[in-house]
């Protein structure tokens, strides 16, 4: 068993009907850029009625058709925000919790210790989060998952992971193992995946391998470690109607 195997992320997600929401963080093989990506999938009409958008420097989720919104509490939030030398990526409104704690001089874990999984029994969807910290031409990153400690949602188990940025290596965490009823929560450590130097190639690999019936939106950001400049790609199925790029 090779515990250091680096997987092709396309192969990991291809054929899996529902990995839910997912975050990827890593460094390009050439060592020049930080990779961050976030995607959302949806099964219900309420979940599928979403797009990514930009507002006040953040990447947000918003309703595609306001008239069809049933419950905005768990589907409308800031997904990506920047503060100081840090980039925050999460699958819920804990983005703002992390932002506020960093602004107050406190840490990633301190923020998430005040939060727990989503109150959507019987699934108890985990909250997944990542923070990239840039400095001196490089970066480190942390990831977290908050999930129910049992099938009743009686307590929250919190897991934290801290990584150096290694060229060609990314880590992938997602909310679910696959589809089900209830939907089985992600297990274990973030998965080791290969990154690519080209943002377009990496975006296509993610988008084209997500299940076509359930994928909704994808955001990919490459940050140049020398200049700090960011290159972005955003795909919203509700706006484009396209399945592949």
């Amino acid at each position: 068993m090779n515990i250091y195997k680096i997987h092709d992320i396309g192969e990991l997600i291809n054929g899996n009907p529902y990995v839910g929401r997912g975050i990827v963080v890593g460094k390009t093989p050439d060592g020049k850029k930080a990779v961050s990506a976030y995607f959302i999938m949806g099964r219900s009409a309420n979940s599928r009625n979403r797009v990514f958008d930009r507002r006040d420097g953040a990447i947000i989720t918003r309703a595609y058709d306001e008239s069809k919104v049933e419950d905005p509490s768990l589907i409308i939030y800031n997904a990506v925000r920047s503060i100081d030398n840090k980039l925050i990526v999460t699958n819920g409104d804990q983005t703002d919790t992390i932002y506020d704690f960093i602004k107050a001089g406190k840490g990633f874990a301190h923020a998430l210790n005040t939060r727990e999984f989503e109150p959507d029994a019987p699934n108890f969807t985990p909250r997944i989060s990542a923070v990239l910290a840039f400095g001196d031409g490089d970066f480190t990153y942390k990831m977290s998952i908050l999930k129910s400690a049992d099938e009743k949602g009686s307590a929250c188990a919190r897991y934290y992971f801290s990584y150096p940025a290694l060229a060609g290596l990314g880590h992938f965490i997602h909310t679910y193992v696959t589809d089900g009823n209830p939907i089985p929560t992600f297990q274990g450590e973030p998965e080791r995946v290969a990154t690519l130097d080209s943002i377009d190639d990496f975006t296509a690999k993610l988008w084209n391998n997500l299940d076509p019936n359930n994928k909704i939106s994808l955001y990919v950001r490459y940050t140049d470690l020398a200049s700090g400049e960011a290159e972005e790609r955003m795909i919203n199925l509700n706006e484009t109607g396209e399945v592949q790029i």
Side-chain angles (χ1 to χ4, degrees):
M1 180 180 181
N2 180 8
I3 62 170
Y4 296 111
K5 180 179 179 180
I6 300 177
H7 300 271
D8 182 310
I9 194 169
E11 294 177 358
L12 284 180
I13 60 180
N14 185 271
N16 189 331
Y18 204 58
V19 293
R21 286 167 274 174
I23 297 172
V24 184
V25 180
K27 183 188 280 189
T28 53
D30 64 11
K32 295 180 179 180
K33 296 177 181 178
V35 176
S36 51
Y38 177 54
F39 65 78
I40 57 176
M41 303 178 78
R43 300 191 308 173
S44 69
N46 192 49
S47 291
R48 293 181 178 183
N49 182 33
R50 287 183 289 175
V51 292
F52 285 158
D53 205 348
R54 293 177 175 83
R55 182 179 63 196
D56 299 328
I59 302 301
I60 66 168
T61 63
R62 65 169 177 82
Y64 176 64
D65 184 342
E66 296 285 352
S67 68
K68 295 181 179 179
V69 174
E70 299 170 12
D71 178 8
S73 63
L74 295 178
I75 66 167
I76 307 300
Y77 53 87
N78 290 315
V80 182
R81 295 185 73 180
S82 297
I83 178 171
D84 299 330
N85 66 328
K86 296 179 175 64
L87 181 70
I88 307 164
V89 186
T90 91
N91 73 326
D93 64 9
Q94 72 269 24
T95 302
D96 297 332
T97 305
I98 297 168
Y99 181 97
D100 291 342
F101 269 66
I102 291 175
K103 188 175 181 180
K106 300 177 182 179
F108 180 63
H110 290 93
L112 292 173
N113 283 342
T114 70
R115 303 301 305 268
E116 61 178 30
F117 52 87
E118 296 180 358
D120 60 341
N123 298 316
F124 303 117
T125 298
R127 292 189 185 272
I128 55 174
S129 309
V131 169
L132 293 73
F134 297 93
D136 298 323
D138 208 347
F139 74 107
T140 58
Y141 56 100
K142 297 179 180 180
M143 305 183 86
S144 172
I145 183 167
L146 312 180
K147 57 185 181 178
S148 180
D150 60 21
E151 69 277 9
K152 299 177 182 178
S154 58
C156 181
R158 298 177 174 87
Y159 301 85
Y160 301 99
F161 308 91
S162 182
Y163 299 104
L166 300 179
L169 175 64
H171 287 90
F172 173 40
I173 193 166
H174 42 102
T175 52
Y176 307 123
V177 176
T178 188
D179 204 355
N181 188 23
I183 316 172
T185 294
F186 178 89
Q187 299 293 303
E189 296 181 16
E191 296 162 321
R192 294 164 59 89
V193 296
T195 58
L196 299 174
D197 286 327
S198 166
I199 187 173
D200 289 321
D201 289 346
F202 194 65
T203 300
K205 181 175 285 289
L206 283 168
W207 186 249
N208 292 340
N209 284 288
L210 287 169
D211 184 81
N213 297 313
N214 292 317
K215 64 184 179 182
I216 304 299
S217 296
L218 168 66
Y219 172 76
V220 181
R221 172 177 175 142
Y222 275 35
T223 305
D224 188 286
L225 296 174
S227 67
E229 295 182 359
E231 189 175 9
E232 302 172 306
R233 299 292 184 269
M234 185 185 296
I235 306 173
N236 289 309
L237 187 62
N238 280 318
E239 292 181 339
T240 65
E242 297 175 358
V243 173
Q244 291 192 327
I245 58 173

